[in-house]
Amino acid sequence: MSICDRYASRQEDSIEILNDGFLKIFKEIHHYSPAYADQVSSFKGWLRKIMIYTAIDNFRKNNKYNLTKELDTTLHHMPADNESAFDKISYDEIIRFIQKLTPVYRAVFNLFIIDGLSHDEIATQLGISVGTSKSNLSKARKQMQKILFKENKIVQVKNAG
């Protein structure tokens, strides 16, 4: 479910991805053969891969025309206290922040940062160019920064000078 949560913006979408993934798993379990000697790890990897590809399929199906969203135009920020954002953030908050990314940025961010796919692999999976994958990752990182600044109460300051 944690994989599904990363790719979906709503709980209902996560559940749909999970159900679709398990349906694929049950249909294809007879084709499964362990890739390594450690059968448990091999099976977990196989399940993870199916869930990721199911999430990508869901993304393609539901976000075909919903690819962009306006971003805030805030320029400079400063922490409200000496604590870093990473000191204040939990796993559930990270997932919630990832879910706030626009769909196309969320997909590229998850595939590159979390799932470790290359830009070539992402381009192939999402049907986009390698340059678009790189651009979307850059924009996703900027959007994630803005979300982190906003959610962690980091105040905006004007340029001094």
Side-chain angles (χ1 to χ4, degrees):
M1 186 66 171
S2 64
I3 292 169
C4 302
D5 284 340
R6 286 195 335 249
Y7 284 89
S9 56
R10 300 177 318 151
Q11 180 72 22
E12 295 83 14
D13 296 336
S14 297
I15 293 169
E16 180 181 344
I17 293 168
L18 185 72
N19 287 337
D20 291 348
F22 274 115
L23 182 61
K24 288 179 184 179
I25 289 165
F26 291 133
K27 284 182 177 179
E28 299 299 321
I29 193 91
H30 63 282
H31 292 294
Y32 169 74
S33 63
Y36 344 102
D38 182 0
Q39 292 185 359
V40 173
S41 294
S42 182
F43 187 69
K44 284 181 183 179
W46 184 71
L47 291 176
R48 182 176 182 272
K49 186 176 180 179
I50 288 176
M51 287 301 173
I52 289 169
Y53 289 130
T54 302
I56 291 169
D57 291 344
N58 182 277
F59 166 80
R60 281 192 215 135
K61 179 178 77 175
N62 293 326
N63 297 300
K64 196 172 196 174
Y65 302 105
N66 185 18
L67 299 178
T68 60
K69 178 181 172 184
E70 289 296 317
L71 298 177
D72 296 331
T73 57
T74 335
L75 296 175
H76 299 281
H77 292 85
M78 177 176 249
D81 54 44
N82 291 335
E83 205 172 17
S84 76
F86 293 113
D87 294 333
K88 299 183 201 178
I89 199 165
S90 72
Y91 172 80
D92 291 335
E93 288 173 316
I94 292 170
I95 296 301
R96 195 176 81 238
F97 298 154
I98 290 172
Q99 290 173 335
K100 289 183 178 188
L101 292 172
T102 57
V104 75
Y105 297 164
R106 181 174 52 241
V108 173
F109 184 86
N110 277 314
L111 291 169
F112 187 85
I113 300 292
I114 299 174
D115 297 323
L117 272 66
S118 70
H119 285 293
D120 290 331
E121 294 168 318
I122 293 169
T124 301
Q125 288 299 319
L126 297 181
I128 59 177
S129 71
V130 172
T132 301
S133 176
K134 290 177 180 180
S135 172
N136 286 344
L137 177 62
S138 175
K139 291 174 185 176
R141 286 178 169 162
K142 288 177 185 173
Q143 191 177 19
M144 182 61 84
Q145 274 183 324
K146 290 179 182 190
I147 291 167
L148 288 169
F149 282 131
K150 183 179 176 186
E151 293 292 327
N152 285 296
K153 298 178 178 85
I154 295 177
V155 294
Q156 178 180 354
V157 295
K158 295 182 180 178
N159 284 338

